[in-house]
Structure formats: structure tokens, C-alpha cells
Amino acid sequence: SYILSSAKLLVSRKHARILWHKDHFDIEDISAHGTFVNTIKIPKQGLLRLDTGSVIALGGSTPDGGVCRLRFTYEVIGPTP
């Protein structure tokens, strides 16, 4: 698993966790400010599946109207076991 973190105002220090499950990735919201995937809010302590190209938004708007957004991408390199 990986921890996403940011120093932005409305993003928690430890905000979300990305988990590998046999054949796909999920993202878990562990924040106080909310996590969204393709505009869908992840339920508190809940999981949502990530697909390549998914847009992850962390927290609420900053005072200047910005939101911390990430685009999730992965690819399989070589044969899978």
C-alpha cells in the first residue's frame, strides 16, 4: 500500500491509501476532509476501485478555489505470473 500526503490546507497529512487486490487497485479514504474518485465521494473508511485514468481529488477546495487532483495510471510490464 502507498500513502498519499500533501501539505495543502484541506488535505490531511495522511489522506488516502492505495491497495493492490490480486487483479486491481482500490483507494481507501483515511482523511478528515474527504476523497473523491471521478467526482464520486469515497465513503468514510470505505474503498473504491481505481482504473487507469481515474481522477483522484483530495479534500475540499483551497481558499483560492483549487483542489488537489491526481490522475491514477498503471501498466503491467512483462508477463504476469
Side-chain angles (χ1 to χ4, degrees), residues 16-65:
R17 189 180 340 234
I18 295 176
L19 309 159
W20 174 251
H21 291 285
K22 205 169 193 178
D23 64 346
H24 69 277
F25 287 96
D26 284 331
I27 185 168
E28 177 184 16
D29 177 30
I30 57 172
S31 74
H33 303 292
T35 303
F36 300 79
V37 176
N38 300 326
T39 71
I40 299 168
K41 186 172 182 172
I42 300 172
K44 200 62 149 169
Q45 303 300 316
L47 298 171
L48 264 179
R49 185 177 177 137
L50 287 174
D51 296 309
T52 193
S54 292
V55 176
I56 301 166
L58 305 177
S61 297
T62 59
D64 63 359

